[in-house]
Amino acid sequence: MEAPPGSGPSPGWTGKHAVELYVRTYTTMLQSSGDIKVESLVQAHLGMGSVLHPLAAQPQSDMGALLYAVRRLPAAIASCRRIIMGQSPQGFRAVLGAEILSWDAVKAPARRRRWYHDGKNTLAVLIASKSDIDDLVPTVVAFQIEWNKLHRALQEVGLSDEDARQAAGATPDDWRRLREAWGEDFDANLAAIKRDECRIVLRLIGGSHLGYARNASRWWMPVAAAMDDLGARDAPIYFVSSNAHSLVLGARDAPIYFVSSNAHSLVNVLTGVARRIENEIVDWIGRSDRDLDTERRKLEAGHSRASRQNWLYYGARQVFDASPDRDRLRKWRAELEAANGIRHIAAVGTGVDSAAQVFMLSKLDAAAIDPRVGAVDEKKLHASDACIVNVDYPLGEAAYHILRQVAEQAAWVAGVYVLGKAATLNADVGDVMIPNVVYNEHSGNTYWLDNCFTASDVQPNLVYGSALDNQRAVTVRGTFLQNRDYLDFYYQGRYTVVEMEAGPYLDACFEIGQPDRYPVNESVNMAQVNFDLGIVHYASDTPYTQARTLGARGLSYRGMDSTYASAIAVARRILQREEALLPASK
């Protein structure tokens, strides 16, 4: 991707160069064999002018950036001042003599990553690719900047709730969100902020390309075991980037559809679990969630355009999570899914924290498949030898390592489908974007593809949003690593979809069909690949969304509209390729 013509560098390239300077700064510093101080990265962070941290250089607290960082770091960060990143527990043992798996396993609310706390002041974290570094380092820097702003603001006031809020310059809503994020630790954290400045140090152990590939290999081992259990190990593979619930594996030597997505939509669409317990869902929601029950009544009265199927999928999650019968229902669900040829594979103790699912198409119940997929030919479905491997979407370049590992181990790859979240520069939250051009910042490649999906595949089941095909997407390094000039530059080039996985997947797709490793800084024609290829993004935010809300919202009932419209399109595509759909009635 070249800079637009002109007499000199455009503002967009100035903004992009500021991001690149920041990345080079922490990348080269982390090559040190010792600890580096986060304080030494602050100036580069400020100079970048991140859209997620607009007040970074101001004395005023940026509650949006603080909330974003708090949700992506474990609660133990409030008392820890050393973070060590590494690729494997073995690496920590070899370099530090530390058995991190014996430490306390901790989690961040809004980022899947394996963290371990030594019970004192050190956090260890397993990373799956360079993207984890690009995501984690700016988040830690932002956290320290905002902690220290609050430290200075609280010196002259007491710690009563209202006094502290006013001193921080936070709105009541922001203060409430911070209290919710910290929970019962809120008062203790506030006291710690007033007492001490935050001075975190970082260290990277390893960080090699081979180490990331080894992680992917370890991730693959239990998936391969599940495929062997289903007789599907030697099947050709359709790689789908979607969710962890929507794909199904077939018998040995069967084609395999690999989907990178989430862990709920495809399994719901293809198994009909929620529809089988409709009475239990309606009863529990009626007793526990007044708003959701009101929506059901609107649906039944014809006063809502939403899908009842989506309502059931959303309500089922609450039943399985919170109802008194949840243990019995979970056991029933596991038995039903096993009988339908589905295996769930939890993420193992590697840097790749992505669960997977394996489905056997021939064992699916045709009558239970979401009717929006279409009328299913039961005989052809049960005669299919195809399988699906569904991966809970990884972060950034981990996608490349996962797909490459799958492609190496599979007999052949028959298709790749990517279904994931993205930010949009021209659409609205809830819209679906289907690109035919993807620029990958990691490799510098621009991929031109013949996307197997079009707007007509998604729009019929999209109630609240619009489906936009023929879009251009850019795969960025990280959420913090963007500024306004940088985004304006891409928008001027008609790149309107901002996401993190499609580019690495396409780098791996290149290697599936070509004799060489993927190129760099080239324009690549992917229109004639020898496998089915589709990419669908649903808009979850805009890059200009204030960080206090970016990623902080769970999957809302209405937000399921675009997710399931996309998942249905993927499921329909797979069944069409298996000739397992009956002709649509006129």
PDB file of all heavy atoms in Angstrom, residues 384-416:
ATOM      1  N   SER A 384     -22.720 -36.940   4.224  1.00  0.00           N
ATOM      2  CA  SER A 384     -21.537 -36.085   4.135  1.00  0.00           C
ATOM      3  C   SER A 384     -20.412 -36.644   4.994  1.00  0.00           C
ATOM      4  O   SER A 384     -20.635 -37.152   6.090  1.00  0.00           O
ATOM      5  CB  SER A 384     -21.876 -34.671   4.587  1.00  0.00           C
ATOM      6  OG  SER A 384     -20.707 -33.887   4.718  1.00  0.00           O
ATOM      7  N   ASP A 385     -19.189 -36.541   4.464  1.00  0.00           N
ATOM      8  CA  ASP A 385     -18.031 -36.934   5.266  1.00  0.00           C
ATOM      9  C   ASP A 385     -17.257 -35.709   5.747  1.00  0.00           C
ATOM     10  O   ASP A 385     -16.127 -35.826   6.211  1.00  0.00           O
ATOM     11  CB  ASP A 385     -17.108 -37.858   4.466  1.00  0.00           C
ATOM     12  CG  ASP A 385     -16.585 -37.187   3.199  1.00  0.00           C
ATOM     13  OD1 ASP A 385     -17.013 -36.051   2.906  1.00  0.00           O
ATOM     14  OD2 ASP A 385     -15.755 -37.806   2.509  1.00  0.00           O
ATOM     15  N   ALA A 386     -17.861 -34.535   5.645  1.00  0.00           N
ATOM     16  CA  ALA A 386     -17.155 -33.288   5.955  1.00  0.00           C
ATOM     17  C   ALA A 386     -17.151 -32.998   7.449  1.00  0.00           C
ATOM     18  O   ALA A 386     -18.031 -33.423   8.198  1.00  0.00           O
ATOM     19  CB  ALA A 386     -17.790 -32.117   5.210  1.00  0.00           C
ATOM     20  N   CYS A 387     -16.131 -32.280   7.849  1.00  0.00           N
ATOM     21  CA  CYS A 387     -15.960 -31.884   9.237  1.00  0.00           C
ATOM     22  C   CYS A 387     -15.713 -30.384   9.318  1.00  0.00           C
ATOM     23  O   CYS A 387     -15.292 -29.762   8.363  1.00  0.00           O
ATOM     24  CB  CYS A 387     -14.770 -32.602   9.859  1.00  0.00           C
ATOM     25  SG  CYS A 387     -14.891 -34.380   9.803  1.00  0.00           S
ATOM     26  N   ILE A 388     -15.938 -29.827  10.502  1.00  0.00           N
ATOM     27  CA  ILE A 388     -15.653 -28.415  10.753  1.00  0.00           C
ATOM     28  C   ILE A 388     -14.816 -28.290  12.018  1.00  0.00           C
ATOM     29  O   ILE A 388     -15.127 -28.905  13.033  1.00  0.00           O
ATOM     30  CB  ILE A 388     -16.946 -27.590  10.895  1.00  0.00           C
ATOM     31  CG1 ILE A 388     -17.763 -27.647   9.619  1.00  0.00           C
ATOM     32  CG2 ILE A 388     -16.619 -26.157  11.263  1.00  0.00           C
ATOM     33  CD1 ILE A 388     -19.159 -27.085   9.766  1.00  0.00           C
ATOM     34  N   VAL A 389     -13.751 -27.498  11.941  1.00  0.00           N
ATOM     35  CA  VAL A 389     -12.971 -27.125  13.119  1.00  0.00           C
ATOM     36  C   VAL A 389     -13.226 -25.638  13.341  1.00  0.00           C
ATOM     37  O   VAL A 389     -12.938 -24.826  12.472  1.00  0.00           O
ATOM     38  CB  VAL A 389     -11.466 -27.366  12.909  1.00  0.00           C
ATOM     39  CG1 VAL A 389     -10.668 -26.860  14.110  1.00  0.00           C
ATOM     40  CG2 VAL A 389     -11.188 -28.834  12.662  1.00  0.00           C
ATOM     41  N   ASN A 390     -13.786 -25.313  14.483  1.00  0.00           N
ATOM     42  CA  ASN A 390     -14.123 -23.920  14.781  1.00  0.00           C
ATOM     43  C   ASN A 390     -13.232 -23.408  15.901  1.00  0.00           C
ATOM     44  O   ASN A 390     -13.135 -24.020  16.959  1.00  0.00           O
ATOM     45  CB  ASN A 390     -15.592 -23.813  15.187  1.00  0.00           C
ATOM     46  CG  ASN A 390     -16.000 -22.386  15.440  1.00  0.00           C
ATOM     47  OD1 ASN A 390     -15.657 -21.497  14.682  1.00  0.00           O
ATOM     48  ND2 ASN A 390     -16.716 -22.151  16.524  1.00  0.00           N
ATOM     49  N   VAL A 391     -12.581 -22.282  15.680  1.00  0.00           N
ATOM     50  CA  VAL A 391     -11.634 -21.722  16.642  1.00  0.00           C
ATOM     51  C   VAL A 391     -12.174 -20.414  17.188  1.00  0.00           C
ATOM     52  O   VAL A 391     -12.654 -19.559  16.429  1.00  0.00           O
ATOM     53  CB  VAL A 391     -10.265 -21.476  15.971  1.00  0.00           C
ATOM     54  CG1 VAL A 391      -9.316 -20.767  16.913  1.00  0.00           C
ATOM     55  CG2 VAL A 391      -9.661 -22.785  15.505  1.00  0.00           C
ATOM     56  N   ASP A 392     -12.133 -20.272  18.493  1.00  0.00           N
ATOM     57  CA  ASP A 392     -12.481 -18.999  19.118  1.00  0.00           C
ATOM     58  C   ASP A 392     -11.405 -17.996  18.708  1.00  0.00           C
ATOM     59  O   ASP A 392     -10.236 -18.154  19.048  1.00  0.00           O
ATOM     60  CB  ASP A 392     -12.514 -19.165  20.634  1.00  0.00           C
ATOM     61  CG  ASP A 392     -13.359 -18.114  21.326  1.00  0.00           C
ATOM     62  OD1 ASP A 392     -13.878 -17.223  20.629  1.00  0.00           O
ATOM     63  OD2 ASP A 392     -13.505 -18.184  22.559  1.00  0.00           O
ATOM     64  N   TYR A 393     -11.803 -16.982  17.968  1.00  0.00           N
ATOM     65  CA  TYR A 393     -10.863 -16.159  17.210  1.00  0.00           C
ATOM     66  C   TYR A 393      -9.662 -15.705  18.037  1.00  0.00           C
ATOM     67  O   TYR A 393      -9.796 -15.209  19.141  1.00  0.00           O
ATOM     68  CB  TYR A 393     -11.562 -14.948  16.583  1.00  0.00           C
ATOM     69  CG  TYR A 393     -12.181 -13.989  17.569  1.00  0.00           C
ATOM     70  CD1 TYR A 393     -11.446 -12.921  18.085  1.00  0.00           C
ATOM     71  CD2 TYR A 393     -13.490 -14.135  17.974  1.00  0.00           C
ATOM     72  CE1 TYR A 393     -12.002 -12.030  18.975  1.00  0.00           C
ATOM     73  CE2 TYR A 393     -14.058 -13.257  18.883  1.00  0.00           C
ATOM     74  CZ  TYR A 393     -13.310 -12.204  19.374  1.00  0.00           C
ATOM     75  OH  TYR A 393     -13.860 -11.335  20.272  1.00  0.00           O
ATOM     76  N   PRO A 394      -8.468 -15.909  17.495  1.00  0.00           N
ATOM     77  CA  PRO A 394      -7.248 -15.483  18.180  1.00  0.00           C
ATOM     78  C   PRO A 394      -6.997 -13.995  17.958  1.00  0.00           C
ATOM     79  O   PRO A 394      -7.708 -13.338  17.194  1.00  0.00           O
ATOM     80  CB  PRO A 394      -6.163 -16.326  17.507  1.00  0.00           C
ATOM     81  CG  PRO A 394      -6.693 -16.532  16.119  1.00  0.00           C
ATOM     82  CD  PRO A 394      -8.187 -16.586  16.224  1.00  0.00           C
ATOM     83  N   LEU A 395      -5.973 -13.489  18.620  1.00  0.00           N
ATOM     84  CA  LEU A 395      -5.637 -12.074  18.505  1.00  0.00           C
ATOM     85  C   LEU A 395      -4.507 -11.888  17.492  1.00  0.00           C
ATOM     86  O   LEU A 395      -3.422 -12.450  17.641  1.00  0.00           O
ATOM     87  CB  LEU A 395      -5.210 -11.519  19.859  1.00  0.00           C
ATOM     88  CG  LEU A 395      -4.809 -10.031  19.886  1.00  0.00           C
ATOM     89  CD1 LEU A 395      -6.037  -9.143  19.700  1.00  0.00           C
ATOM     90  CD2 LEU A 395      -4.106  -9.685  21.194  1.00  0.00           C
ATOM     91  N   GLY A 396      -4.754 -11.098  16.457  1.00  0.00           N
ATOM     92  CA  GLY A 396      -3.699 -10.672  15.543  1.00  0.00           C
ATOM     93  C   GLY A 396      -2.944 -11.809  14.888  1.00  0.00           C
ATOM     94  O   GLY A 396      -3.522 -12.734  14.320  1.00  0.00           O
ATOM     95  N   GLU A 397      -1.620 -11.750  14.980  1.00  0.00           N
ATOM     96  CA  GLU A 397      -0.770 -12.678  14.241  1.00  0.00           C
ATOM     97  C   GLU A 397      -0.852 -14.113  14.745  1.00  0.00           C
ATOM     98  O   GLU A 397      -0.373 -15.030  14.066  1.00  0.00           O
ATOM     99  CB  GLU A 397       0.681 -12.198  14.276  1.00  0.00           C
ATOM    100  CG  GLU A 397       0.939 -11.019  13.369  1.00  0.00           C
ATOM    101  CD  GLU A 397       2.425 -10.821  13.120  1.00  0.00           C
ATOM    102  OE1 GLU A 397       3.139 -10.466  14.072  1.00  0.00           O
ATOM    103  OE2 GLU A 397       2.854 -11.029  11.964  1.00  0.00           O
ATOM    104  N   ALA A 398      -1.449 -14.344  15.886  1.00  0.00           N
ATOM    105  CA  ALA A 398      -1.679 -15.733  16.305  1.00  0.00           C
ATOM    106  C   ALA A 398      -2.546 -16.453  15.279  1.00  0.00           C
ATOM    107  O   ALA A 398      -2.448 -17.680  15.134  1.00  0.00           O
ATOM    108  CB  ALA A 398      -2.339 -15.765  17.685  1.00  0.00           C
ATOM    109  N   ALA A 399      -3.386 -15.703  14.556  1.00  0.00           N
ATOM    110  CA  ALA A 399      -4.217 -16.308  13.521  1.00  0.00           C
ATOM    111  C   ALA A 399      -3.359 -16.968  12.443  1.00  0.00           C
ATOM    112  O   ALA A 399      -3.672 -18.060  11.959  1.00  0.00           O
ATOM    113  CB  ALA A 399      -5.126 -15.241  12.900  1.00  0.00           C
ATOM    114  N   TYR A 400      -2.276 -16.306  12.056  1.00  0.00           N
ATOM    115  CA  TYR A 400      -1.365 -16.885  11.060  1.00  0.00           C
ATOM    116  C   TYR A 400      -0.786 -18.201  11.549  1.00  0.00           C
ATOM    117  O   TYR A 400      -0.785 -19.210  10.828  1.00  0.00           O
ATOM    118  CB  TYR A 400      -0.234 -15.899  10.742  1.00  0.00           C
ATOM    119  CG  TYR A 400       0.935 -16.526  10.024  1.00  0.00           C
ATOM    120  CD1 TYR A 400       0.886 -16.751   8.651  1.00  0.00           C
ATOM    121  CD2 TYR A 400       2.072 -16.908  10.728  1.00  0.00           C
ATOM    122  CE1 TYR A 400       1.959 -17.349   7.988  1.00  0.00           C
ATOM    123  CE2 TYR A 400       3.149 -17.496  10.079  1.00  0.00           C
ATOM    124  CZ  TYR A 400       3.090 -17.718   8.715  1.00  0.00           C
ATOM    125  OH  TYR A 400       4.136 -18.317   8.069  1.00  0.00           O
ATOM    126  N   HIS A 401      -0.297 -18.220  12.781  1.00  0.00           N
ATOM    127  CA  HIS A 401       0.347 -19.422  13.308  1.00  0.00           C
ATOM    128  C   HIS A 401      -0.653 -20.571  13.443  1.00  0.00           C
ATOM    129  O   HIS A 401      -0.305 -21.728  13.171  1.00  0.00           O
ATOM    130  CB  HIS A 401       1.003 -19.115  14.647  1.00  0.00           C
ATOM    131  CG  HIS A 401       2.138 -18.143  14.553  1.00  0.00           C
ATOM    132  ND1 HIS A 401       3.353 -18.459  13.995  1.00  0.00           N
ATOM    133  CD2 HIS A 401       2.234 -16.836  14.931  1.00  0.00           C
ATOM    134  CE1 HIS A 401       4.161 -17.420  14.035  1.00  0.00           C
ATOM    135  NE2 HIS A 401       3.501 -16.413  14.600  1.00  0.00           N
ATOM    136  N   ILE A 402      -1.886 -20.269  13.846  1.00  0.00           N
ATOM    137  CA  ILE A 402      -2.893 -21.318  13.993  1.00  0.00           C
ATOM    138  C   ILE A 402      -3.266 -21.907  12.641  1.00  0.00           C
ATOM    139  O   ILE A 402      -3.263 -23.138  12.451  1.00  0.00           O
ATOM    140  CB  ILE A 402      -4.135 -20.763  14.713  1.00  0.00           C
ATOM    141  CG1 ILE A 402      -3.843 -20.562  16.198  1.00  0.00           C
ATOM    142  CG2 ILE A 402      -5.332 -21.694  14.545  1.00  0.00           C
ATOM    143  CD1 ILE A 402      -4.982 -19.950  16.974  1.00  0.00           C
ATOM    144  N   LEU A 403      -3.605 -21.067  11.674  1.00  0.00           N
ATOM    145  CA  LEU A 403      -4.009 -21.583  10.367  1.00  0.00           C
ATOM    146  C   LEU A 403      -2.860 -22.325   9.689  1.00  0.00           C
ATOM    147  O   LEU A 403      -3.059 -23.368   9.058  1.00  0.00           O
ATOM    148  CB  LEU A 403      -4.515 -20.439   9.482  1.00  0.00           C
ATOM    149  CG  LEU A 403      -4.925 -20.826   8.055  1.00  0.00           C
ATOM    150  CD1 LEU A 403      -5.884 -22.012   8.055  1.00  0.00           C
ATOM    151  CD2 LEU A 403      -5.545 -19.648   7.329  1.00  0.00           C
ATOM    152  N   ARG A 404      -1.662 -21.810   9.819  1.00  0.00           N
ATOM    153  CA  ARG A 404      -0.514 -22.488   9.215  1.00  0.00           C
ATOM    154  C   ARG A 404      -0.321 -23.870   9.838  1.00  0.00           C
ATOM    155  O   ARG A 404      -0.023 -24.842   9.137  1.00  0.00           O
ATOM    156  CB  ARG A 404       0.749 -21.640   9.398  1.00  0.00           C
ATOM    157  CG  ARG A 404       1.923 -22.094   8.538  1.00  0.00           C
ATOM    158  CD  ARG A 404       3.093 -21.131   8.689  1.00  0.00           C
ATOM    159  NE  ARG A 404       4.132 -21.407   7.703  1.00  0.00           N
ATOM    160  CZ  ARG A 404       5.076 -22.330   7.849  1.00  0.00           C
ATOM    161  NH1 ARG A 404       5.099 -23.073   8.934  1.00  0.00           N
ATOM    162  NH2 ARG A 404       5.979 -22.518   6.904  1.00  0.00           N
ATOM    163  N   GLN A 405      -0.497 -23.977  11.149  1.00  0.00           N
ATOM    164  CA  GLN A 405      -0.359 -25.265  11.823  1.00  0.00           C
ATOM    165  C   GLN A 405      -1.425 -26.240  11.346  1.00  0.00           C
ATOM    166  O   GLN A 405      -1.143 -27.407  11.054  1.00  0.00           O
ATOM    167  CB  GLN A 405      -0.463 -25.072  13.338  1.00  0.00           C
ATOM    168  CG  GLN A 405      -0.346 -26.348  14.146  1.00  0.00           C
ATOM    169  CD  GLN A 405       1.023 -26.990  14.039  1.00  0.00           C
ATOM    170  OE1 GLN A 405       2.022 -26.307  13.914  1.00  0.00           O
ATOM    171  NE2 GLN A 405       1.059 -28.313  14.077  1.00  0.00           N
ATOM    172  N   VAL A 406      -2.658 -25.767  11.247  1.00  0.00           N
ATOM    173  CA  VAL A 406      -3.739 -26.626  10.785  1.00  0.00           C
ATOM    174  C   VAL A 406      -3.468 -27.098   9.363  1.00  0.00           C
ATOM    175  O   VAL A 406      -3.635 -28.277   9.032  1.00  0.00           O
ATOM    176  CB  VAL A 406      -5.081 -25.884  10.863  1.00  0.00           C
ATOM    177  CG1 VAL A 406      -6.190 -26.697  10.219  1.00  0.00           C
ATOM    178  CG2 VAL A 406      -5.439 -25.586  12.315  1.00  0.00           C
ATOM    179  N   ALA A 407      -3.043 -26.172   8.504  1.00  0.00           N
ATOM    180  CA  ALA A 407      -2.782 -26.519   7.113  1.00  0.00           C
ATOM    181  C   ALA A 407      -1.644 -27.528   6.982  1.00  0.00           C
ATOM    182  O   ALA A 407      -1.668 -28.412   6.120  1.00  0.00           O
ATOM    183  CB  ALA A 407      -2.466 -25.257   6.310  1.00  0.00           C
ATOM    184  N   GLU A 408      -0.637 -27.411   7.834  1.00  0.00           N
ATOM    185  CA  GLU A 408       0.480 -28.358   7.801  1.00  0.00           C
ATOM    186  C   GLU A 408       0.042 -29.761   8.201  1.00  0.00           C
ATOM    187  O   GLU A 408       0.514 -30.756   7.650  1.00  0.00           O
ATOM    188  CB  GLU A 408       1.600 -27.894   8.737  1.00  0.00           C
ATOM    189  CG  GLU A 408       2.417 -26.726   8.225  1.00  0.00           C
ATOM    190  CD  GLU A 408       3.515 -26.339   9.193  1.00  0.00           C
ATOM    191  OE1 GLU A 408       3.568 -26.941  10.294  1.00  0.00           O
ATOM    192  OE2 GLU A 408       4.313 -25.448   8.867  1.00  0.00           O
ATOM    193  N   GLN A 409      -0.848 -29.853   9.193  1.00  0.00           N
ATOM    194  CA  GLN A 409      -1.215 -31.143   9.741  1.00  0.00           C
ATOM    195  C   GLN A 409      -2.374 -31.803   9.009  1.00  0.00           C
ATOM    196  O   GLN A 409      -2.540 -33.022   9.092  1.00  0.00           O
ATOM    197  CB  GLN A 409      -1.585 -30.988  11.225  1.00  0.00           C
ATOM    198  CG  GLN A 409      -0.453 -30.447  12.084  1.00  0.00           C
ATOM    199  CD  GLN A 409       0.753 -31.363  12.108  1.00  0.00           C
ATOM    200  OE1 GLN A 409       0.612 -32.587  12.084  1.00  0.00           O
ATOM    201  NE2 GLN A 409       1.945 -30.784  12.146  1.00  0.00           N
ATOM    202  N   ALA A 410      -3.186 -31.028   8.310  1.00  0.00           N
ATOM    203  CA  ALA A 410      -4.344 -31.580   7.625  1.00  0.00           C
ATOM    204  C   ALA A 410      -3.937 -32.177   6.283  1.00  0.00           C
ATOM    205  O   ALA A 410      -2.889 -31.857   5.723  1.00  0.00           O
ATOM    206  CB  ALA A 410      -5.369 -30.479   7.395  1.00  0.00           C
ATOM    207  N   ALA A 411      -4.787 -33.081   5.792  1.00  0.00           N
ATOM    208  CA  ALA A 411      -4.530 -33.649   4.473  1.00  0.00           C
ATOM    209  C   ALA A 411      -4.582 -32.568   3.406  1.00  0.00           C
ATOM    210  O   ALA A 411      -3.735 -32.525   2.517  1.00  0.00           O
ATOM    211  CB  ALA A 411      -5.555 -34.747   4.174  1.00  0.00           C
ATOM    212  N   TRP A 412      -5.579 -31.698   3.502  1.00  0.00           N
ATOM    213  CA  TRP A 412      -5.650 -30.534   2.626  1.00  0.00           C
ATOM    214  C   TRP A 412      -6.680 -29.551   3.173  1.00  0.00           C
ATOM    215  O   TRP A 412      -7.516 -29.918   3.982  1.00  0.00           O
ATOM    216  CB  TRP A 412      -5.985 -30.922   1.173  1.00  0.00           C
ATOM    217  CG  TRP A 412      -7.246 -31.708   0.992  1.00  0.00           C
ATOM    218  CD1 TRP A 412      -7.420 -33.044   1.185  1.00  0.00           C
ATOM    219  CD2 TRP A 412      -8.516 -31.202   0.565  1.00  0.00           C
ATOM    220  NE1 TRP A 412      -8.708 -33.410   0.913  1.00  0.00           N
ATOM    221  CE2 TRP A 412      -9.409 -32.303   0.516  1.00  0.00           C
ATOM    222  CE3 TRP A 412      -8.995 -29.939   0.215  1.00  0.00           C
ATOM    223  CZ2 TRP A 412     -10.749 -32.176   0.138  1.00  0.00           C
ATOM    224  CZ3 TRP A 412     -10.322 -29.811  -0.173  1.00  0.00           C
ATOM    225  CH2 TRP A 412     -11.174 -30.933  -0.206  1.00  0.00           C
ATOM    226  N   VAL A 413      -6.558 -28.331   2.739  1.00  0.00           N
ATOM    227  CA  VAL A 413      -7.470 -27.277   3.187  1.00  0.00           C
ATOM    228  C   VAL A 413      -8.449 -26.991   2.064  1.00  0.00           C
ATOM    229  O   VAL A 413      -8.052 -26.619   0.968  1.00  0.00           O
ATOM    230  CB  VAL A 413      -6.702 -25.994   3.556  1.00  0.00           C
ATOM    231  CG1 VAL A 413      -7.680 -24.869   3.871  1.00  0.00           C
ATOM    232  CG2 VAL A 413      -5.793 -26.258   4.747  1.00  0.00           C
ATOM    233  N   ALA A 414      -9.729 -27.167   2.355  1.00  0.00           N
ATOM    234  CA  ALA A 414     -10.744 -26.970   1.332  1.00  0.00           C
ATOM    235  C   ALA A 414     -11.401 -25.606   1.413  1.00  0.00           C
ATOM    236  O   ALA A 414     -12.000 -25.162   0.438  1.00  0.00           O
ATOM    237  CB  ALA A 414     -11.812 -28.050   1.444  1.00  0.00           C
ATOM    238  N   GLY A 415     -11.314 -24.932   2.556  1.00  0.00           N
ATOM    239  CA  GLY A 415     -11.949 -23.628   2.660  1.00  0.00           C
ATOM    240  C   GLY A 415     -11.555 -22.888   3.914  1.00  0.00           C
ATOM    241  O   GLY A 415     -11.244 -23.496   4.929  1.00  0.00           O
ATOM    242  N   VAL A 416     -11.552 -21.597   3.837  1.00  0.00           N
ATOM    243  CA  VAL A 416     -11.241 -20.723   4.973  1.00  0.00           C
ATOM    244  C   VAL A 416     -12.326 -19.660   5.060  1.00  0.00           C
ATOM    245  O   VAL A 416     -12.598 -18.968   4.082  1.00  0.00           O
ATOM    246  CB  VAL A 416      -9.865 -20.048   4.794  1.00  0.00           C
ATOM    247  CG1 VAL A 416      -9.607 -19.049   5.915  1.00  0.00           C
ATOM    248  CG2 VAL A 416      -8.760 -21.077   4.726  1.00  0.00           C
TER     249      VAL A 416
END
